[in-house]
Amino acid sequence: MKRLYMQEVATRDGFQNERTFIETEDKIALIDELSQCGYARIEVTSFTSPKAIPALRDAEAVMAGIRRQPGVEYTVLVPNVRGAERALGCGIDEANLVMSVSEPHNRSNLRMTREQSFAQLKEVIGVIGRGPVAVNVSLSTAFGCPMQGDVPPEEVLRWIEGFVALDVRGVTLCDTTGMAYPSQVQALSEAVRGRFPQLQLTLHFHNTRGMALANTLAALQAGVDRFDASLGGLGGCPYAPGASGNVCTEDLVHMLDLMGYDTGMDLDRVIAASARLPSLIGHDTPSQILRAGKRLDLHPIPEHVNSLGQQIGNNPTERRQ
Ligand code: COA
Ligand code: ZN
């Protein structure tokens, strides 16, 4: 059974996009619940400017309040040196740095050119150093940008090469606004794995155009074993027009479990956590499994079907109709 690694992003990618502020203690309780679900990694929050992302302005308090589960890595999004210093003070396991491979999206999201971002992230990597904290770099719009359009794969590989030279542990290819499609995902994943076999590669899909599960299958075919997903399918980038939710964790795990992959996840526990989301955020989520149940959550045969069956069984004329 092939082992896959699931990484939860709802409390970062999801909550950064919610209109109402989710109380710190509610965030902590949810993360503590998620810690029991079997994730390889949880992206707890982000150490961005509170003006840019007010929903996550309580990052320190959340990190201080959670109960860490051995075996689960706790990562946070870090945009700059200031964010890295704040995050390092909280005992993170990994810093997830972010830049976009598209120039207009990088300027819109981070207010810098890509070159400026790269220079700044190089500085961040220097601050984190070679200590116990790992570095991952999330490359936004790796499969297309809502302003620029297609991003050439060579361009994505070029930025990865730059970060590999700085010795980062991992890179995440982010489909920020759901522009990826399966054959493209397979080709780029194969290219990245072929060129950088030592790199820990994560794929991060949004379901904006309904292709997230199909894209996951394409990535699996290319040998990818690590996926970001968001409880209830929450998520979206506030600086990308038309962005919407990540691939939904329970929908993804449900599919992978059926296919015989070892996700390490307790699906029932994930579904129970997802069921509590609407009351927390004040609206429904796009989760399909929460609505429909698991594939073999069967329903009782309605009474009228039973009695109809008996009638049909007793009457040969009706049976023929
Ligand atoms: N933590 C806390 N405060 C920060 C900060 C950080 N990591 N980075 C910057 N700030 C503060 C500065 O102190 C300054 O505060 P002041 O106005 O009170 O003096 C203010 O934010 C602006 O700082 P500046 O250096 O001019 O940055 P900026 O306004 O160009 O913002 C980013 C740069 C990257 C920090 C900001 O755009 C950001 O956090 N964006 C969020 C990106 C994101 O997470 N997107 C979604 C996920 S992909
Ligand atoms: Zn995202």
Side-chain angles (χ1 to χ4, degrees):
M1 210 161 42
K2 187 172 160 64
R3 178 75 163 99
L4 301 180
Y5 302 91
M6 306 303 298
Q7 308 184 159
E8 180 58 51
V9 300
T11 55
R12 198 280 298 169
D13 209 335
F15 286 179
Q16 77 182 7
N17 221 30
E18 290 300 322
R19 289 223 175 90
T20 47
F21 182 77
I22 292 145
E23 294 302 330
T24 307
E25 71 240 43
D26 292 333
K27 288 173 176 151
I28 292 169
L30 177 64
I31 293 159
D32 285 348
E33 173 65 23
L34 294 172
S35 288
Q36 304 300 319
C37 290
Y39 292 99
R41 193 174 301 166
I42 297 175
E43 190 165 55
V44 175
T45 183
S46 77
F47 286 85
T48 43
S49 146
K51 279 185 201 141
I53 310 279
L56 303 180
R57 60 178 182 262
D58 56 358
E60 276 89 353
V62 172
M63 282 304 295
I66 57 172
R67 274 195 311 269
R68 316 251 181 128
Q69 173 73 22
V72 181
E73 280 193 6
Y74 295 88
T75 188
V76 297
L77 190 131
V78 166
N80 54 16
V81 170
R82 173 86 195 281
E85 284 164 349
R86 289 173 57 204
L88 287 174
C90 296
I92 53 168
D93 297 317
E94 183 198 76
N96 185 21
L97 317 189
V98 61
M99 72 168 275
S100 181
V101 290
S102 118
E103 191 68 27
H105 183 255
N106 201 70
R107 284 173 186 258
S108 150
N109 191 28
L110 301 170
R111 299 164 213 256
M112 280 176 267
T113 66
R114 290 175 300 171
E115 288 299 343
Q116 285 169 327
S117 271
F118 184 79
Q120 202 175 84
L121 295 187
K122 190 172 172 180
E123 226 185 304
V124 171
I125 292 166
V127 168
I128 295 170
R130 289 178 179 275
V133 176
V135 175
N136 186 78
V137 178
S138 279
L139 296 175
S140 308
T141 68
F143 299 95
C145 161
M147 291 160 271
Q148 174 189 315
D150 277 324
V151 176
E154 308 77 59
E155 188 74 358
V156 181
L157 292 166
R158 185 170 72 81
W159 288 108
I160 296 177
E161 197 157 34
F163 286 109
V164 167
L166 299 177
D167 259 349
V168 303
R169 178 179 67 169
V171 160
T172 302
L173 298 177
C174 300
D175 182 26
T176 312
T177 62
M179 292 174 71
Y181 55 93
S183 50
Q184 177 200 30
V185 168
Q186 185 168 352
L188 185 57
S189 302
E190 278 169 0
V192 174
R193 291 194 74 238
R195 188 111 139 236
F196 309 104
Q198 307 306 324
L199 189 67
Q200 186 184 82
L201 178 64
T202 300
L203 279 252
H204 175 109
F205 294 118
H206 282 255
N207 200 34
T208 321
R209 293 179 176 79
M211 288 188 275
L213 289 179
N215 287 333
T216 304
L217 291 183
L220 285 168
Q221 266 162 30
V224 174
D225 62 1
R226 202 169 269 278
F227 295 93
D228 283 351
S230 172
L231 193 72
L234 298 186
C237 174
Y239 298 97
S244 65
N246 289 75
V247 65
C248 170
T249 306
E250 56 271 29
D251 294 358
L252 179 59
V253 171
H254 176 257
M255 179 185 82
L256 296 171
D257 279 359
L258 286 172
M259 294 174 75
Y261 287 102
D262 173 13
T263 59
M265 298 287 294
D266 181 339
L267 179 57
D268 289 324
R269 214 159 177 167
V270 174
I271 294 172
S274 181
R276 285 195 286 279
L277 270 184
S279 65
L280 202 61
I281 58 179
H283 59 85
D284 280 340
T285 68
S287 170
Q288 306 274 353
I289 292 303
L290 196 58
R291 216 162 306 146
K294 292 186 289 183
R295 177 172 171 269
L296 289 180
D297 285 348
L298 301 183
H299 301 264
I301 298 172
E303 205 38 55
H304 73 273
V305 174
N306 278 335
S307 53
L308 191 71
Q310 278 156 16
Q311 280 168 23
I312 291 174
N314 295 337
N315 185 337
T317 346
E318 275 184 34
R319 209 187 305 151
R320 276 200 301 276
Q321 284 175 346

